[in-house]
DNA sequence: ATATTTTGTAAGTTTAATAAACAAATTAAA
DNA sequence: TTTAATTTGTTTATTAAACTTACAAAATAT
């Protein structure tokens, strides 16, 4: 049972302070006091702890029009590092970031064998390599988050991964035994949503991220938290039935959305006529430019069914921001306008629908961000995007 | 910005204590200490406050096998009263309950005029009547919650009510001005869900309540809290598209679920052939008993489309318990078994689907329960059901 | 040089928890 | 019948972390 005591208060306020320091990049004690409504004395005491822990550093003095110059505080980005891993089909992507979420290295390792044990070994040896690489810093490796393209339970066990045909495996435990430290598992779409919130959409607490690749995934940040459902399986929108009695699906039903609006299904439709090509996306791009009738029709249908599903999702969740992550959609001119045009119900409410600016990277970036969020105990993070950094 | 201080701790622990007292009915300080993990000293101090405020009373002494007899504590049910109002089509239902959620009176007032001002007056005069009736008790009327069969925003303004064709009206403000005290508005399906959680399903924090009447509503308690979405409009599942290009709906789309699985639509289908009858439900019940082919087919289709929608809802929310509130469904033999049979996807996860044991009353009961929950500052309530009381 | 403003720290107070000891009330055992 | 054991509830002292108030430091404006 969760009860309150003094240390609980301290944690709450500490998280608040770290959150603001990260959001602002650099900020004085006085301004922290103004923003959080905590007294300057309280801020000073908390900051003293953070300085001693080397999580925060005092940087330069700012120039004010009048009065004493404030001492600016920043997160000590190099105090530790977070490792995000995207375990995708055919390859695993590793991203190491500093504590501000800034990527240090990115590496893609092909997955040759799909045997479970081999994959555990591949991941474990890479993790150990990264761990020794970070060992010099104050906190070393502060967290490891692994993106799973499948169902992950609230207890972080894997319920089902279509690509590898894994069912009820405890990858977390197996990896932790192999590397000797905590590893966290999270659904890929959830991590993409987390990344969109952390790196791009700082002002919303209600964001959905729809990922359209081999299947359709839905990552949800609602009320500033992951929306997971009772067991962790919420957001399985790919298997929402949109065509009663429609195409049979591996899940056991007919007419699942995935069969009509995932990239795989659209590509299959298009390539059914034409003989298969190696670089599918390139090929489609050329056909669009050429004005190919058949491709045009297929993409029209794609947008049509995509809009139907989006209508349903929006009605159910009433999100603030919907981010769509799809390479295929990006190639269709005016795709967003066409979707907006289809969402004409009196009932659907949302503020913004956009295409992801991060694309496939969002998944590993979200994994790093989540590792940082866990380490610092700050649930709602705001990290500088690449654009901010360029300033 | 929400910061922590000492009084915040006290509130947390106080809510915890009240919650346990209500859940257990009567309990000693020592047992409260064991359950909450707060020390006996802390419990004593908090209980002293509650006794002084007359929210809690010391009742009899319990008999123990050994040791000093504990003093049992109970909620002072008559310290105040909650008023729930269900503003439905054609009539308003008023329920007055004590602080344990036990109904004191229920009253149904027909709505003659559907003009906004008249309805405000009707509600206001009834509220004043109930207020003076409670004036004798320690806290009098502790809260008033009004169930709205339509879209209610997070700011408790009405976005849309189909029945009265209200759009963007501030009923809360108008009523509060008329009666001089706070009034709270909440969507009817949310209140039904709250009632199911508070009165019946005490052990779950993830409950969905699907109400099938004129339209289809979805009330959601997820993670122990209402799930409202960004503006408060989440759960509009009636306008989920399940038949692309299907029947046109007033919302502007085609093929909305409501057109296939609401009681209204099913009744319309059945009665289209047969000339309209006053007591529709009775009539249908007789036809089912007679084995009428046409009614049988229509109900089969109802169950079919209902299951499709439930599949979609379950995939999206991964609830623990789903409660369906439908008079029509109750009349169909083996309805639940047939629904279970249709939900055969590998992906759908839920623990339990049941028919509501409260039926239409759930809405006002939820309104009373919510008023109590707000007054006592206890978000997750457990109230005795009628069955418990009979013990 | 002095007043004003802003920042950050220090000393003392308040709140609400915890810990430890104790009083009260009961049954079981000597 | 007295004593030991057990459980309940209260009292006193301690602790943590906030808050208030006062003040020193550092800057600009007069």
């Amino acid at each position: 049972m969760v009860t309150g005591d003094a240390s609980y208060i301290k944690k709450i306020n500490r998280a608040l302070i770290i959150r603001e320091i990260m959001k602002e990049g650099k900020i004085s004690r006085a301004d922290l006091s103004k923003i959080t409504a905590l007294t300057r004395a309280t801020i000073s005491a908390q900051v003293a702890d953070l300085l001693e822990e080397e999580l925060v550093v005092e940087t330069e003095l700012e120039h004010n029009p009048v009065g004493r110059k404030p001492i600016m505080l920043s997160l000590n980005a190099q105090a530790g590092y977070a490792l995000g891993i995207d375990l995708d089909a055919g390859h695993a992507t590793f991203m190491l970031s500093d504590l501000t979420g800034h990527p240090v290295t990115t590496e893609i390792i092909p997955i040759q064998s799909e045997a479970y044990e081999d994959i555990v070994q591949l991941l474990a040896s890479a993790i150990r390599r990264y761990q020794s690489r970070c060992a010099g810093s104050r906190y070393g490796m502060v967290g490891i988050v692994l993106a799973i393209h499948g169902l992950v339970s609230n207890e972080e066990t894997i319920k089902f991964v279509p690509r590898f045909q894994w069912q009820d495996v405890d990858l977390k435990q197996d990896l932790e035994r192999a590397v000797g430290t905590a590893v966290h598992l999270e659904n890929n779409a959830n991590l993409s949503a987390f990344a969109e919130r952390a790196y791009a959409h700082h002002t919303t607490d209600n964001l959905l991220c729809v990922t359209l690749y081999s299947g359709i995934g839905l990552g949800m940040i609602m009320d500033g938290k992951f929306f997971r459902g009772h067991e962790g399986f919420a957001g399985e929108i790919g298997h929402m039935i949109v065509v009663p009695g429609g195409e049979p699906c591996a899940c056991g039903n007919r007419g699942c959305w995935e069969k009509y609006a995932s990239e795989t299904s659209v590509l299959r439709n298009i390539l059914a006529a034409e003989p298969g090509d190696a670089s599918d996306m390139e090929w489609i791009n050329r056909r669009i430019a050429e004005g190919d009738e058949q491709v045009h029709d297929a993409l029209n249908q794609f947008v049509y069914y995509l809009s139907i599903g989006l209508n349903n999702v929006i009605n159910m969740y009433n999100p603030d921001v919907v981010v769509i992550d799809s390479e295929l959609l990006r190639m269709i001119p005016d795709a967003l306008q066409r979707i907006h045009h289809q969402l004409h119900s009196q009932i659907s409410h949302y503020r913004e629908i956009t295409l992801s600016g991060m694309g496939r990277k969002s998944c590993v970036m979200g994994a790093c961000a989540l590792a940082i969020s866990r380490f610092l105990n700050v649930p709602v993070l705001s990290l500088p995007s690449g654009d901010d950094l360029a300033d």
Side-chain angles (χ1 to χ4, degrees), chain A:
Chain A
M1 187 143 297
V2 181
T3 54
D5 67 350
S7 70
Y8 180 58
I9 295 183
K10 190 161 190 190
K11 261 188 215 154
I12 293 175
N13 292 337
R14 177 186 158 111
L16 217 67
I17 290 167
I18 297 178
R19 185 176 107 190
E20 290 306 318
I21 293 175
M22 295 185 81
K23 194 157 128 194
E24 302 297 325
K26 56 183 186 179
I27 188 171
S28 68
R29 292 170 177 81
D31 283 344
L32 277 173
S33 169
K34 280 173 202 150
I35 291 179
T36 61
L38 295 165
T39 61
R40 290 203 306 273
T42 301
I43 298 284
S44 278
Q46 288 260 17
V47 166
D49 287 355
L50 294 172
L51 286 171
E52 211 205 341
E53 295 172 44
E54 294 178 43
L55 287 174
V56 160
V57 285
E58 294 185 331
T59 50
E60 74 262 60
L61 296 175
E62 198 82 336
H63 205 68
N64 259 14
V66 68
R68 172 174 165 178
K69 283 179 178 171
I71 307 165
M72 303 309 275
L73 304 165
S74 297
L75 199 78
N76 182 6
Q78 276 74 51
Y81 297 87
L83 181 62
I85 308 171
D86 179 8
L87 181 58
D88 204 352
H91 56 270
T93 307
F94 293 76
M95 186 168 128
L96 191 72
S97 87
D98 66 23
L99 289 187
T100 62
H102 186 77
V104 177
T105 58
T106 310
E107 178 188 16
I108 298 175
I109 299 180
I111 296 177
Q112 315 287 0
S113 157
E114 298 203 349
Y116 179 73
E117 279 307 326
D118 293 342
I119 291 178
V120 171
Q121 282 318 311
L122 182 153
L123 294 173
S125 75
I127 289 171
R128 278 191 293 262
R129 189 156 42 79
Y130 281 102
Q131 277 177 322
S132 62
R133 194 172 152 177
C134 302
S137 65
R138 176 70 172 80
Y139 289 98
M141 179 77 75
V142 302
I144 301 162
V145 171
L146 183 57
I148 300 295
H149 293 238
L151 291 179
V152 180
S153 77
N154 278 336
E155 290 75 36
E156 297 186 59
T157 62
I158 290 178
K159 185 77 184 177
F160 183 50
V161 178
R163 168 65 195 228
F164 301 118
Q165 283 298 309
W166 290 345
Q167 277 193 42
D168 295 302
V169 296
D170 198 343
L171 178 57
K172 176 187 169 72
Q173 194 177 72
D174 295 334
L175 263 182
E176 285 179 346
R177 282 186 183 157
V179 299
T181 44
V183 175
H184 292 286
L185 269 54
E186 185 60 69
N187 169 269
N188 69 304
N190 269 348
L191 290 176
S192 289
F194 197 80
E196 296 288 348
R197 167 64 186 74
Y199 286 99
H201 299 270
H202 292 166
T203 56
T204 187
D205 280 338
N206 294 285
L207 178 147
L208 302 185
C209 181
V210 180
T211 61
L212 301 173
Y213 292 110
S214 57
I216 305 184
L218 177 63
M220 292 166 286
I221 308 283
M222 295 299 289
D223 236 344
K225 294 194 296 284
F226 282 123
F227 182 78
R228 292 197 160 92
H230 182 60
E231 295 150 292
F233 308 142
E236 275 306 314
I237 43 169
H239 299 281
M240 162 171 72
I241 298 170
V242 293
V243 181
E247 289 188 35
C249 176
C251 81
N253 277 331
R254 287 173 159 272
C256 292
W257 193 30
E258 206 161 276
K259 289 282 153 194
Y260 298 85
S262 69
E263 297 199 345
T264 310
S265 70
V266 175
L267 290 177
R268 191 169 42 232
N269 283 348
I270 292 176
L271 299 175
E274 206 74 28
D277 221 291
S279 54
D280 301 334
M281 285 296 178
E282 289 296 316
W283 182 87
I284 287 173
N285 223 344
R286 258 179 287 126
R287 287 297 148 112
I288 291 174
E290 289 166 14
D292 182 304
E293 191 77 14
Q294 207 188 350
V295 168
H296 183 258
D297 288 353
L299 293 180
N300 263 355
Q301 220 199 23
F302 171 51
V303 171
Y304 173 72
Y305 280 110
L306 181 59
S307 303
I308 284 178
L310 287 175
N311 170 81
N312 295 358
V313 170
I314 289 168
N315 274 333
M316 289 219 206
Y317 287 110
N318 179 218
D320 183 31
V321 176
V322 179
V323 179
I324 305 174
D325 189 0
S326 161
E327 272 183 72
L328 191 53
L329 203 64
R330 220 187 297 273
M331 299 189 321
I332 304 174
D334 303 325
L336 277 184
Q337 282 85 335
R338 284 158 72 187
I339 290 171
H340 278 296
H341 188 72
Q342 295 257 15
L343 294 172
H344 41 53
S345 163
Q346 302 277 359
I347 305 294
S348 300
H349 288 93
Y350 63 93
R351 183 170 61 77
E352 184 185 352
I353 299 185
T354 49
L355 288 173
S356 170
M358 278 184 266
R360 294 203 106 120
K361 273 181 307 171
S362 64
C363 188
V364 258
M365 294 183 78
C368 287
L370 182 58
I372 296 167
S373 162
R374 282 173 162 278
F375 172 63
L376 297 175
N377 247 296
V378 179
V380 181
L381 271 193
S382 296
L383 301 174
S385 68
D387 303 348
D388 295 345
L389 290 174
D391 290 351

